[in-house]
Amino acid sequence: MFMFGVCGCCGALRPRYKRLVDNIFPEDPEDGLVKANMEKLTFYALSAPEKLDRIGAYLSERLSRDVARHRYGYVCIAMEALDQLLMACHCQSINLFVESFLKMVRKLLESDKPSLQILGTNSFVKFANIEEDTPSYHRSYDFFVSRFSEMCHSGYEDPDIRTKIRMAGIKGLQGVVRKTVNDELQANIWDPQHMDKIVPSLLFNLQSGERTESRSPSPLQASEKEKESPVELTERCFRELLGRAAYGNIKNAVTPVLMHLDNHSLWEGKTFAVRCFKIIMYSIQSQHSHLVIQQLLGHLDANSKNSATVRAGIVEVLLEAAAIAASGSVGPTVLEVFNTLLRQLRLSVDYELTGSYDGSTNIGTKIIKAHEERQLQEAVIRTIGSFANTLPTYQRSEVMLFIMGKIPVPGIHLTLPSSDSGPEGTRMIQVMLLKSLVQVTAGFQTTNMLTALPSSFLEPLLSFSLTEDPEVRLLVLQILLSLIDRHENRPKFANMSSISDISVLKLKVDKCSRQDNLFMKKHAQQLYRHIYLGCKEESSGREHYETLFALLGLLSVELANEEVVVDLIRLALALQDLALSTDEALPVYNRCAVHALVAAYLNLICQLTTVPAFCQHIHEVIEVRQKESPYLLPEAVFVDSPKLHSSLDKVEGSVLFLQSKITESLGGSGYNTERLATPYVPQYTDEDRLSKRKSIGETISLQVEVESRNSPEKEERTPAEEITFETLKNAIVDSVGMEEQERERRRQVVEKFQKAPFEEIAAHCGARATQLQSKLNQIFEITIRPPPSPSGTISSGYGQSQSRSVPIYEMKFPDLCVY
C-alpha cells in the first residue's frame, strides 16, 4: 500500500499537458486514438495556447522513442494527434509547435520504412495547406526539398510501393512550394539550389508516363483512376509551380528544364521536349511568354556546334512555343529572334558544305550528315514563319526588310559574314533566306501596299528575278504573289487554262483604292519589266510560267485600274512578239509556253473587261488554236507530257492575237487607243547588268569596281575597266557569241551616258525631259502655295486670294515685331 501510494502521488504531480497527452494513447495501439481524451487535449491547447509548444515537444519525444522501439502503431497515433492539433490551433504560439511537428515529420522521412515515409509526407501536405496567421523567421525547408526529390527518384523493388513513394515525393514537393512561394520571409524556393532539385524530379516522373500529348491550357478534372497516376500528379504539380512563377523567376524555373533535356539527350526525340514546353507555355502567365522564347533562343546559340538533330529539336520546340505565345507577346526584341534564327540557318549551310564545325576540337570527330542539316534548315524556316504569324502587319514589314538586308543582293555589299563554304554556300544562303521570306509573307495582308512594301524592299527583291538561278526566280515570284494577294485569289490561278467562262473561278474583285493606284504608278513598270524578262529566261520551266500567269492574274484583280489594264494587255502582246522572235533563240518549249501563257491571260483579262468585241476576238483565236495549233494553248503545254510542235516558224495569221483588232475593240469602249497602239518595250537599265551574273564571284568583283569608282581619291579618274571572271574566261577561250555581243551593246550604252557631252545627252533625252518638266510644273502648281504675308493678300474675284507672294523687303511688320 505504501509503494502504491507513492506511485499515485508521483503520477498526480506530473504536468497536466503530459497527462492529457498520455491519455490519448490506448493500451492496445490497434484500438486507435482515444477520441474523448483527444477532445480534452484539444480544448486544453485552445484555452492555454502557451502550452502548445510543450505539448508538441512531448509528443515529439514520445514519437522518437516509439520509432526507435519499432512501435509503429503508437507512431501513427502521435501523428494523427499532431494533425488534429494543427488543424484546430491558429494562434501566435503555433510557430514553436510547428518546429516540433517538422522535427517529427523529418524523423519519419529519415526512416527506411516506406509506410513511415508516406505517413510523414501526408502529414506535411496537411500542414502545407494551412494558412498561418504569423510569418516564420527561422524555419527551413531545405531538408524537405532534398528528401522529397530523392523520394521522386525512388528505386524500390516492389513497383506498387515504388509508385506510392514517388507519388508521396511529388506531393511533398507540391506542399513545399505552396508553403514557401508566398512567404517572403522564407528562403526563396526559386533559387537555383532548390529549382535544380525540384524541376528534374518532376520531369523524371513526367517522362515515365506513356502519354505523348500535353493537356489543354485548362485541363478538366481528372477521374479517380487518373489521380492515382504519378504522371497526372506530376503534371498538375509542374503546372502549379509554373503558374506561381513571377517575372523574375521564369528563368530559374526554365533553366533546369533545358539542362535536363541536355543531360538525358531528350532533344532528339522532340516529343517529350515539345510536351514539356507546351506545359510551360500554357501554365505561365501569357505576358511572360517571351522570356521562355528568349531562353530557348539563347540555348540554341549555345548549342550551335552540337549535332543537327539536337538543334532541330530545339527549333521544333521554338516552333510550338511561338504558336502558343501568339496570344501573348513575342517580346520587345522581335528582330533579335529572327537574327538568331537566320544565324543558325547560315551556320547550318556552312556545316553542310564544309563538313566540319569550324574545326572545333570537342566535337570535331562527329560526322555531319547533310540530310540532317537540311531537315534543320526546313525546321528553322518553318519557325521563322510561325514567329511572323504572331506579329502585327507593321512588325512583319520590319521583319521582311530585316531578312532582305541579310541576303547578298547583286550589286549591293554582302551583309552576311564571309563563310568557308564559298560561292555555293552564298547561293544556298540566298535560297534559304528567300524561303524564309516566303514563310513570312504567307497570308500577308495590308490596306496600304505603298507603306507596307517600300522601295527598299521591293527593288532588291525584284533584282533577284533577273538572276540565272531558276530556283531563286521562282521564290521571288512566290513572294510577290503572297504580297499582292489580299483576297485569297491565288489558289484560283493555280491551274492555267483557257476556259470560256471565268465565273466558275469565283474571283473576288475589289475596287482599286487610291493607295493601290499610287503603288502601281510607282512600281508598275518594274513589275512589267520583270515579268517580261522572266518569260525570256531559257531556264524557266512549267512552274515559272504558271507562277507568272498567277502574278498577271492577281495584278488584274487586285491592283488594276483602266491604265493598268491597258499596260497589261500591251505586255501580253509584247510577250507574243517575244515568242515569235527568232533573235532570242528561245527553246521550242519556252516559246510554246509563252504563247500558251498569253492565250490564258488574254482570255482572263477580256472577260474581266467585259468588252464584247474584245472577248469575241480572243475566243476566235483560241478556237482556231484548238483546231490547228493545240500546242499554243495551256491545256497542251502545261501538262506532265507536253505536246509540242517540232517547229514554230509558221505561227501566223488567225492563230495570233492582233494588236489592231484589240485596239479597235477596246477603243470603242473608252480605253486609251493611243496607248494601246504603242507596243510595249521593256526598259533595260543598269540593274540588268548588275543582276545578270552567273556567279557570286562576278558580283563581288563588280562591287570592288563600284567601290573603287566611288572612292574620294579617284573621283576625277576615268571609270576602271570591268574585269570579272566571265571576262577572263572569254579572253582565254576567245569565243564571241550572242551573249558577248549583247553585253558589249549594253556597255556601249552605259559608256555613252558616262562620257558623252552634256549637249548630246540632253538632245537625246529632250522629249522625255520636257514631258517630265511639264508634269513637275503641274505638281508644283497643285501643291505649292505662297507663304503667308503680314502685309495681307490681294483678294481677287469670288473671294480667292491672288497667288503672288509679297517680297520680304516690302512686307509691313507690326511695331511689336521690330526691334
Side-chain angles (χ1 to χ4, degrees), residues 674-704:
E674 182 180 353
R675 191 175 184 85
L676 277 169
T678 306
Y680 172 78
V681 178
Q683 300 175 2
Y684 289 93
T685 64
D686 199 48
E687 180 188 4
D688 301 334
R689 187 172 65 88
L690 293 176
S691 300
K692 295 293 289 183
R693 297 281 160 182
K694 289 185 177 180
S695 68
I696 298 301
E698 294 181 70
T699 302
I700 297 173
S701 66
L702 178 66
Q703 290 170 3
V704 173

Side-chain angles (χ1 to χ4, degrees), residues 392-402 444 451-453 457:
T393 301
Y394 74 93
Q395 277 190 325
R396 199 186 291 199
S397 298
E398 292 179 1
V399 171
M400 288 159 51
L401 283 169
F402 180 74
F444 181 81
T451 57
L453 306 174
F457 175 79

Side-chain angles (χ1 to χ4, degrees), residues 496 545 579-580 586-599 625 629-634 636-638 642-648 651:
M496 195 190 314
Y545 289 111
L580 292 172
L586 283 176
V588 174
Y589 175 80
N590 295 68
R591 295 174 67 184
C592 290
V594 174
H595 277 297
L597 169 64
V598 172
R625 288 189 178 187
S629 307
Y631 52 85
L632 301 180
L633 292 175
V637 178
F638 300 111
K643 301 175 182 178
L644 305 179
H645 199 270
S646 59
S647 176
L648 299 179
V651 177

Side-chain angles (χ1 to χ4, degrees), residues 100-148:
S100 300
F101 168 78
L102 293 178
K103 182 178 179 182
M104 295 167 67
V105 171
R106 179 170 181 167
K107 190 75 175 178
L108 295 180
L109 292 177
E110 288 174 342
S111 172
D112 294 334
K113 290 186 67 63
S115 58
L116 294 185
Q117 296 175 13
I118 296 171
L119 176 65
T121 302
N122 292 337
S123 294
F124 182 84
V125 171
K126 292 177 183 177
F127 160 69
N129 292 326
I130 296 176
E131 294 184 6
E132 299 183 49
D133 296 333
T134 55
S136 172
Y137 294 90
H138 55 280
R139 198 178 301 163
S140 174
Y141 295 96
D142 292 357
F143 166 79
F144 296 100
V145 172
S146 300
R147 184 56 183 156
F148 289 138

Side-chain angles (χ1 to χ4, degrees), residues 526-787:
Q526 290 176 291
L527 293 172
Y528 302 153
R529 187 168 68 91
H530 288 79
I531 292 172
Y532 182 90
L533 296 176
C535 292
K536 192 177 177 181
E537 289 288 344
E538 295 182 14
S539 59
S540 293
R542 175 181 173 181
E543 285 186 277
H544 293 83
Y545 289 111
E546 288 178 340
T547 312
L548 285 168
F549 169 73
L551 179 57
L552 286 168
L554 286 176
L555 287 175
S556 304
V557 299
E558 296 280 354
L559 300 169
N561 52 28
E562 184 176 320
E563 183 179 346
V564 172
V565 169
V566 171
D567 285 339
L568 289 172
I569 294 173
R570 292 172 58 228
L571 174 61
L573 294 172
L575 290 175
Q576 179 178 257
D577 294 337
L578 171 66
L580 292 172
S581 174
T582 57
D583 297 337
E584 301 296 340
L586 283 176
V588 174
Y589 175 80
N590 295 68
R591 295 174 67 184
C592 290
V594 174
H595 277 297
L597 169 64
V598 172
Y601 177 67
L602 288 178
N603 176 65
L604 170 70
I605 196 68
C606 75
Q607 297 184 59
L608 289 175
T609 56
T610 64
V611 178
F614 184 24
C615 293
Q616 182 180 355
H617 172 62
I618 301 301
H619 291 157
E620 287 176 356
V621 175
I622 291 176
E623 289 175 4
V624 174
R625 288 189 178 187
Q626 288 172 346
K627 296 177 182 179
E628 301 178 3
S629 307
Y631 52 85
L632 301 180
L633 292 175
E635 288 82 2
V637 178
F638 300 111
V639 291
D640 294 334
S641 300
K643 301 175 182 178
L644 305 179
H645 199 270
S646 59
S647 176
L648 299 179
D649 296 337
K650 296 182 180 180
V651 177
E652 56 187 4
S654 58
V655 297
L656 297 178
F657 302 100
L658 301 179
Q659 182 175 359
S660 58
K661 288 190 176 182
I662 295 176
T663 302
E664 181 182 353
S665 59
L666 290 176
S669 299
Y671 286 87
N672 189 340
T673 55
E674 182 180 353
R675 191 175 184 85
L676 277 169
T678 306
Y680 172 78
V681 178
Q683 300 175 2
Y684 289 93
T685 64
D686 199 48
E687 180 188 4
D688 301 334
R689 187 172 65 88
L690 293 176
S691 300
K692 295 293 289 183
R693 297 281 160 182
K694 289 185 177 180
S695 68
I696 298 301
E698 294 181 70
T699 302
I700 297 173
S701 66
L702 178 66
Q703 290 170 3
V704 173
E705 175 199 342
V706 172
E707 288 180 2
S708 64
R709 290 185 179 185
N710 294 335
S711 60
E713 296 82 5
K714 302 181 181 180
E715 286 180 352
E716 297 180 358
R717 294 185 182 180
T718 57
E721 182 182 357
E722 181 182 356
I723 300 175
T724 64
F725 175 77
E726 192 67 24
T727 306
L728 296 175
K729 178 181 176 182
N730 290 334
I732 295 172
V733 178
D734 195 16
S735 61
V736 180
M738 294 295 296
E739 184 178 356
E740 185 65 28
Q741 294 177 5
E742 179 67 19
R743 186 181 292 111
E744 179 65 21
R745 186 184 66 82
R746 294 182 182 179
R747 190 190 63 79
Q748 291 175 358
V749 172
V750 175
E751 186 177 359
K752 176 182 177 181
F753 278 89
Q754 287 177 341
K755 297 183 178 181
F758 175 76
E759 292 78 6
E760 183 180 344
I761 297 176
H764 181 72
C765 304
R768 294 179 60 185
T770 304
Q771 184 181 4
L772 175 62
Q773 187 61 44
S774 63
K775 293 294 182 183
L776 288 175
N777 290 337
Q778 293 178 13
I779 294 172
F780 292 152
E781 289 176 3
I782 295 172
T783 58
I784 297 179
R785 293 288 182 269

